[in-house]
Every structure is written in C-alpha cells, then in structure tokens.
Amino acid sequence: MTDTDRSRRTTEADEICAKAYAGAGGPETGAALIAVGGYGRRELAPYSDWDVVLVHEADVDLGETASAIWYPLWDQGAKIDHAVRSVPEMLATAEGDIRVALGLLDLRHLAGDANLTLQLRTTMLAHWRKHAVAQLPALRELTHKRHELLGELAHASVPDLKEMEGGLRDATVLNAVVATWMVDVPHADLERCRKALLDVRDIVQEISGRASDRIVPEMWDDLADRLELDDAGAAQRFVREIGRRITHLSNLSWRRVDGYLTRRAVASPRAPQLTPLAPGVALSANEVVLDKTARPAQDPMLLLRAAAHAAEHDVVLAPATAARLARDGVALAAPWPTEARQLFVRLLAAGEGLLDVWETLEETGALQRILPEWEKVRLLPHASVIHRFTVDRHSVETCIEASALIRSVGRADVLLVSALLHDIGKGSLVEHSVAGEPVARAIAERMGFDARGVDLVATLVRWHLLLVTTATTRDPEDPATVDVILEHIKDAETLSLLTALTEADAKATSPKAWTSWRARQVLDLADRAQRRLASGAGAAATDSFEPVAIPDEARRGGVSIVVDPLSDGSRVTVVAPDRVGLLADMAATFGLQRVAVRSARVWPQEPYGVTVWEVAEPALDPRVLRERFTAVSEGRLDPSTRLKPAASRGLAPAVVIRPEAGTHATVLEVRTDDRPGVVYLVTATLARLGITVRSAHVDTLGPQAVDVFYLQEASAGTLAEERAASAAGAVRAALAGE
C-alpha cells in the first residue's frame, strides 16, 4: 500500500461524489460539496468512510438536493459520513466542537462552487489561527484524556494505529498545531512517520477485510510479509518505533505550546472602526480591508499596497479582501512600476508581520498573481532534517531574519528579494542553487530591478551556500579558502549582501545552523575576503603561524594543556614534543570525555607540536584532560574499544580527496554520522599510515558530521595521488567498522 493507492481510491471517490452532485442538480454557485478529515487529506484507506459536507451560503435554499446526492452514493455502496450546513453553521459548529474544527482544516473541494470552498478554507484556517490561543489548551486536554484512556501505541499488546498515543490522530493534531504557526514541529520526520503508519493501516484493513485500525496478534506475520520485513518481531519493532517517535514529537510540541502560551501577551481588542491607511486601503477590526474608494480593476498596486500595510501593522489581511483582489484586480505590467517593487520590498521587510499576510496571499490565490513561480516550492519539504520548515515557509522566515539586517547592506531591496528566492530552485533534478539562478533572474527582471540589481539577485541565489559551505568545510587559515570565495564573488557590495543572506538563511533554518561558533567562522571568512578585495591583492599570501611560548611542561618532555573559556565553549591549547599521532591522542581524549570538537589546528614549532582546539564544552578541567591524554598516549587506555564505529544508519561514510581545495596540503573531506570519536578514528588511521594532519576543520549539519583534514607527509609535502587515495580508503574502512 502506498500514497498511490490512497490517491487512486480518493480519485475514484471524488469522481463518484462529483457525479452525484451533478446528477442531483447541485448549484454551481452558492453551494459546494466538500471532503473533510482523512478524505479531505486524500488518505482514504480501503474501508474508510467518506466524510463529506454539503455547505451553502445562508441565503441559498437547497431543497431536496442533499437527499438527491446521498442516495446515489449509498447505491454505489459508499459509506458516507455526511452533513448539510450553511457557512455560518460551519463556523458555529467549529467553535463548539474542536474536533470539527480540526477536520475542517483539511477540507477539500469536490463539486459545486469552488470559490465558496476556497473562501471557507481560508476562513477556517484564519479562524483556527485567530482562536488558537484559546483552543490549543482545550485540544491538549482532549488529547491527554485520549492518551490516558487508550494508552500508547508503542507499548500496547493490541496497538490502535489511529487513536492511541503516537498514532495517526496525534499526527493530525500536530499538523493542526503547525497550522497555528505558533510552534515548530519537525515536518520531515513527522510526515515520514505518518505516511508509514498510513501504509500499515492500509495493510491491516486489507488483512482484516474491514475498517479496522487495530493490529491483533495474529496479524503480525502477514504484516511482516507485506512490509517485506524478516518476521513478526521485525514488524512489531517497525510499527512501535514509529509510534514512539510520534509520541516524542507530540510531547516536544506540546511543551513548546506551553512555553508559547506562557510568554504570550494578549492585547486589548480594538474598536471596529475604519481607519484609512493608504489609497483604497483601511484598517477595520484589526484587519486590512478595502475602503469605498478602492478600484481593483483600475489600480494594479492595490493588492501589494494592502498586503504591505497589513504586514507592517502586523495585522490580518482580510481573506475576503485578498480573494477579491485575486479575482477582480488588474494584473501588474512587466516590468513592474517602481511603486509596485517598493511595496513588495516593504512587505518582505515587515518582519514577523509578514507571516500571516503571506499565508493569506497563498490561501486566497492572490500570490499567484504576484509570484506564480512560488507554486513550485509551496509546501515542499526540505531534504535535510536540519530545516524546521518546508521550503516556502523557510524562505519567508529567511526574509524575516533578513529584515533585521538591512541596515548592514547598501541594497536592502536586493537582500530581501534574494532571501525570498534563494531556494526557488528546490525540487529540481539539478542542484537547487543552479536551477534557481535563471528563475530568480527572470523574476527580478519582471519586478523592474535595474541591470545591476538583476545581476545581484541572480548571483546571490546561485552562490547563497558558498560562504557557509566554505567556512565550515575548509581550513580558514589556508590562502586557498579565501580564493574559493573570490573566484565567484568579485566586489565588496556583493560580498556584503551574501554575508547578510548567509546569516539570515542559517538563522531561518534552525538554531543549530547559526551557533555563535558557526557565525564566527562565516563572518571571519567574509571579513578576510573583504580585506582582500579592499587591498586589491590578487595572489594569496603564504601560510603563517603565530608562534606560542613553549611552556615548561612541554620543555620537560610532558604535555601542556591550557583551557581558555569562550562565550559558547572553550579553546584548548595543547603543546607537547612533536610526533605523528599527537592529534589522534588528543582527539581520543575529547572523544572519551564526550566533548564535541568544532575545529582543530596543528602546527610545528620544532621540536614541539602545537594544537589548538575549539570545543563546545564551556567548563573543562585541564587536569582531567591531561590525565586522560597521558593514559592514552602511554597506552594505558585504549580508546579504540570505546570509540569504535557505531552501527550504520543506512548511509555509508563518504570520504573524498579535494585536490582543488588546498595549496600546500592534501585535503581529505569526511561526511559520516555525527557521533563522538569521529575525529579520533580519522586521525588515528592517518597516524598509523605515518601521515601528518596539519589542521582539521570539524562541523555538524543535522545528523551528519562534515569534517575536513589538511594532510601532509612527515616531510611536509603533499600526498602523492596514490598515497592520498590509499589514505581515503583506509579512513573510509575505519569509519565503516571494517
């Protein structure tokens, strides 16, 4: 069972419903047949009920239309859960029953007046967000009672895939929480688990021959066969692991809701009066609406004007207003007038006020008139789990972050539009920055940017990952590192914009994507590149190391370890008599202490070796480190038994040589599961081969470690091609546990 099967069942049901509506003479305007709940989500299981509602305007009399629709459906053998309600009744029912409100978040058009369905969907979503502060505590209480009554899917002897804690109902609730935009839920992980449970439920219903969500003991063998798992035990582990993961996500999300509600300050309601904001646009009851002077068919700037003012005032853009402008407004001519571009930039610069306004533009179809290319990334999930949001929401969040940085750049308009479009190439078969560049260029031209602005937007979209990738995977002291930046970024203005976009993009991704350490790496690299541009230097400088004073402990043949606190960790300086393996022993010391290594730099001060480490632990005792290091270096403590490779999570480690990345050393890049001991495994393997590690650059991106090692022979030369390939193979085998 797959999404394709559910989609096929849903499509067949849709056709039957549409035929029944047409056969009953259902009105083309003022009434619509809609699907809600699981049917609305296009997730019909083999024996699911069809949840449908015949909705109509309050002044539309349907007569016997409803019965004329239901009877043909029953004759077809469909199991329908049906209702007939006016739009005001829908709102009242949703207000009185939170379960109805949840079902209506997934409503979908089947037949009749599509505009009515769109209006209702927009209204229900806006209503849900508007009343979420009051409704979420009630939803949590309802969820808690269900959990107490039914137990947890991960531990039940007869799991209920839908109603138990960690089941499909919880996944639906979490999606409703996401729809409030109050808190974040790991979308990719949740969706993976939810779809896996839907697949399991489909199989369970096929096995049982009825609408069952429960897995009775005798089903596990059949379930294992259909899931292509080894046995019933494997099937149980598969299902229960999913339930446990959803339970974790649910608990995490509800804690975030609690925190949000605790911090939230409720403003006093405003009087429902019409306050003029701009030509044709006014504020009424905390919503931006059109006033009597508005002429949608004559004023192409009206939609952008309303949206910009709503965002700037951090109020609602009335869905009815946006829908009317989408339907009746006049299109902007290409290239856009200057006023239109300025209004669009004001919208993007509004900060937090952008969120709800952008969603309203999407839901009402108004955004299609402004930015039709957006549909390609709308609701598109990121491939990387480090992202908190889908591609579209992440792009909006990047604009919000960029709005706080516009004082640092000369072209705020370019920064904000680039922030919005930086991932516009996502979903393509080629690398998204490559695919996005021509799309962004065409959009910038349509928006009326000058030639320089168009080039800047296209360049920023193409190279928006350049700074962060280079800063976190290359030795910052290697002259070739700055050269990588300047190969593509040719002037100070572009570099300044790229620096701001990099920060905004990272902050919008997740807190882990813009730690103070990572910020320091990126900003330091950008600063060095700016200095190079300012000096006009063409050739890279040679490597240089600042010598350190050799401590007495090292002069006596021992090891000196000094810990200096940083704002977000520590800097550890280690000096000892130089030897191959010195870096590996210190890496083992950190690994055994479960200290996360961020970067390491090594250089010789004959006859001593100096290593400087930046680590995430803020409080380290140098005496403990020295004792552990001495035990490792003297062979009294074998780190290989404690830091052996962990079980693979399905992806083999990637180890490659980057010949273009270094000028005086051979660059080895390692990507593998993030875990303690990775640096040790790599450096210990290289030490056994007699290879010197000149520096190491360590980074973590989501669940993956991305580490770069600059290698030299003991004689300080780069590695020959065969020697480098052999080293890469040995490191790959060590990380894979071979």
Side-chain angles (χ1 to χ4, degrees):
M1 295 297 155
T2 64
D3 281 346
T4 303
D5 297 305
R6 288 187 287 273
S7 179
R8 173 183 51 77
R9 286 191 290 266
T10 302
T11 299
E12 291 171 355
D14 289 355
E15 292 172 353
I16 293 171
C17 288
K19 184 177 180 180
Y21 187 91
E28 295 183 1
T29 60
L33 187 64
I34 62 173
V36 299
Y39 185 22
R41 294 189 296 272
R42 302 186 63 85
E43 293 171 356
L44 285 181
Y47 294 91
S48 289
D49 289 349
W50 303 356
D51 294 330
V52 294
V53 180
L54 181 59
V55 62
H56 60 92
E57 298 281 11
D59 58 352
V60 173
D61 183 6
L62 293 176
E64 298 298 319
T65 303
S67 297
I69 295 173
W70 309 143
Y71 279 108
L73 295 180
W74 290 325
D75 290 341
Q76 290 273 352
K79 296 185 297 181
I80 60 171
D81 187 350
H82 58 87
V84 181
R85 293 192 179 99
S86 67
V87 173
E89 287 172 343
M90 293 284 279
L91 290 172
T93 304
E95 288 177 351
D97 190 333
I98 197 168
R99 285 165 289 202
V100 173
L102 293 181
L104 292 177
L105 290 178
D106 298 311
L107 70 86
R108 185 170 56 84
H109 183 71
L110 295 175
D113 189 345
N115 287 330
L116 179 61
T117 302
L118 177 60
Q119 176 189 348
L120 182 61
R121 178 178 173 80
T122 303
T123 301
M124 294 311 304
L125 186 57
H127 185 274
W128 173 247
R129 289 187 176 138
K130 183 177 180 180
H131 296 281
V133 171
Q135 289 183 310
L136 282 179
L139 178 57
R140 174 162 193 177
E141 180 63 19
L142 192 66
T143 301
H144 180 67
K145 289 182 177 178
R146 174 168 51 80
H147 292 171
E148 283 189 331
L149 178 65
L150 297 174
E152 187 175 349
L153 186 155
H155 303 293
S157 58
V158 181
D160 186 311
L161 298 170
K162 184 176 182 181
E163 299 294 348
M164 282 184 169
E165 184 175 3
L168 290 168
R169 182 74 70 190
D170 277 359
T172 301
V173 167
L174 288 184
N175 282 330
V177 172
V178 170
T180 68
W181 279 12
M182 287 184 177
V183 299
D184 305 318
V185 177
H187 304 288
D189 203 8
L190 175 63
E191 190 64 6
R192 174 185 62 80
C193 293
R194 192 179 70 86
K195 287 189 174 181
L197 277 191
L198 287 171
D199 290 343
V200 173
R201 185 182 67 171
D202 288 357
I203 296 172
V204 166
Q205 291 196 7
E206 287 287 350
I207 294 172
S208 65
R210 57 191 178 89
S212 173
D213 299 313
R214 301 171 75 239
I215 306 178
V216 296
E218 57 268 23
M219 286 185 180
W220 289 113
D221 283 319
D222 284 343
L223 194 58
D225 289 340
R226 301 198 187 198
L227 290 172
E228 298 182 351
L229 298 173
D230 291 340
D231 51 31
Q236 290 208 41
R237 288 191 297 272
F238 177 79
V239 173
R240 297 181 192 283
E241 283 288 340
I242 296 170
R244 185 167 66 180
R245 184 61 181 164
I246 293 177
T247 296
H248 168 73
L249 294 175
S250 179
N251 291 337
L252 174 65
S253 301
W254 283 117
R255 285 197 299 270
R256 289 175 174 173
V257 168
D258 288 343
Y260 178 89
L261 295 177
T262 299
R263 296 189 302 269
R264 183 180 174 87
V266 180
S268 301
R270 298 181 179 180
Q273 56 185 4
L274 201 65
T275 304
L277 296 176
V281 177
L283 184 67
S284 176
N286 221 31
E287 295 191 11
V288 169
V289 299
L290 301 182
D291 64 21
K292 294 181 179 179
T293 68
R295 299 292 183 267
Q298 302 172 15
D299 186 351
M301 257 72 76
L302 198 51
L303 176 59
L304 286 172
R305 193 179 301 127
H309 280 277
E312 287 176 340
H313 287 80
D314 197 9
V315 295
V316 172
L317 173 61
T321 296
R324 178 186 173 190
L325 291 172
R327 182 182 65 248
D328 301 333
V330 59
L332 283 164
W336 289 4
T338 300
E339 181 187 354
R341 187 174 66 259
Q342 291 174 343
L343 285 169
F344 189 68
V345 171
R346 283 175 55 188
L347 169 65
L348 300 183
E352 293 292 340
L354 173 64
L355 283 174
D356 283 340
V357 172
W358 194 267
E359 179 70 11
T360 298
L361 292 173
E362 286 189 299
E363 291 296 324
T364 58
L367 189 59
Q368 183 71 17
R369 299 181 67 91
I370 303 170
L371 192 62
E373 296 88 350
W374 191 257
E375 193 62 27
K376 294 181 180 179
V377 298
R378 188 169 184 264
L379 300 178
L380 180 68
H382 276 97
S384 171
V385 297
I386 194 174
H387 280 273
R388 296 175 291 171
F389 306 112
T390 53
V391 173
D392 53 343
R393 173 69 186 275
H394 166 73
S395 299
V396 174
E397 291 285 345
T398 304
C399 287
I400 294 171
E401 297 291 349
S403 70
L405 303 173
I406 59 176
R407 301 287 187 188
S408 66
V409 298
R411 291 290 302 264
D413 56 344
V414 168
L415 173 62
L416 290 163
V417 171
S418 299
L420 183 70
L421 301 179
H422 74 283
D423 277 348
I424 199 68
K426 288 279 189 177
S428 303
L429 295 178
V430 298
E431 204 281 321
H432 76 277
S433 61
V434 176
E437 179 185 10
V439 179
R441 179 178 292 277
I443 293 172
E445 290 174 345
R446 186 174 74 239
M447 289 180 176
F449 278 93
D450 57 22
R452 170 63 173 166
V454 170
D455 287 341
L456 283 170
V457 170
T459 299
L460 292 175
V461 171
R462 173 63 183 91
W463 299 110
H464 70 272
L465 297 175
L466 178 64
L467 264 179
V468 70
T469 300
T470 306
T472 56
T473 61
R474 296 289 177 260
D475 185 347
E477 300 302 327
D478 192 313
T481 300
V482 171
D483 293 340
V484 170
I485 303 300
L486 299 186
E487 180 182 354
H488 306 291
I489 307 301
K490 304 298 185 182
D491 61 84
E493 180 181 42
T494 307
L495 181 57
S496 175
L497 287 163
L498 179 62
T499 304
L501 176 59
T502 301
E503 180 175 347
D505 185 16
K507 286 180 175 179
T509 298
S510 77
K512 291 183 178 180
W514 194 250
T515 60
S516 57
W517 172 78
R518 184 170 292 179
R520 187 165 62 249
Q521 297 294 104
V522 170
L523 297 178
D524 285 351
L525 175 58
D527 183 61
R528 289 198 305 277
Q530 284 285 16
R531 291 200 302 269
R532 180 86 68 82
L533 286 170
S535 69
T542 59
D543 280 341
S544 63
F545 303 94
E546 293 187 9
V548 300
I550 303 301
D552 290 341
E553 296 97 322
R555 293 184 184 277
R556 292 193 296 266
V559 59
S560 168
I561 299 179
V562 178
V563 178
D564 295 312
L566 301 174
S567 61
D568 59 339
S570 301
R571 179 181 292 113
V572 182
T573 302
V574 182
V575 183
D578 196 18
R579 59 182 170 84
V580 174
L582 178 63
L583 186 69
D585 289 348
M586 198 63 208
T589 300
F590 287 124
L592 293 169
Q593 294 292 105
R594 292 300 190 262
V595 173
V597 175
R598 289 172 172 163
S599 68
R601 183 139 178 86
V602 189
W603 68 89
Q605 277 187 224
E606 297 294 345
Y608 305 101
V610 181
T611 65
V612 178
W613 306 73
E614 288 200 13
V615 300
E617 178 61 46
L620 286 174
D621 187 337
R623 293 172 299 178
V624 174
L625 292 177
R626 187 180 298 108
E627 291 174 1
R628 186 61 59 91
F629 173 84
T630 302
V632 171
S633 60
E634 292 179 353
R636 292 184 285 109
L637 179 60
D638 183 5
S640 63
T641 59
R642 302 189 189 184
L643 298 177
K644 59 185 178 181
S648 174
R649 294 188 290 195
L651 293 176
V655 182
V656 296
I657 299 295
R658 299 292 189 190
E660 80 287 353
T663 55
H664 305 296
T666 300
V667 177
L668 180 79
E669 182 180 271
V670 175
R671 294 174 182 262
T672 189
D673 292 344
D674 182 40
R675 60 182 186 271
V678 169
V679 177
Y680 162 73
L681 287 170
V682 175
T683 53
T685 301
L686 295 169
R688 286 193 294 271
L689 296 174
I691 295 173
T692 297
V693 178
R694 194 193 74 188
S695 67
H697 202 66
V698 180
D699 194 24
T700 302
L701 193 61
Q704 178 173 256
V706 182
D707 303 338
V708 177
F709 301 86
Y710 284 67
L711 312 181
Q712 290 180 333
E713 297 287 9
S715 59
T718 59
L719 275 61
E721 185 175 344
E722 290 186 6
R723 173 82 156 152
S726 176
V731 169
R732 189 181 300 110
L735 291 172
E738 298 175 359

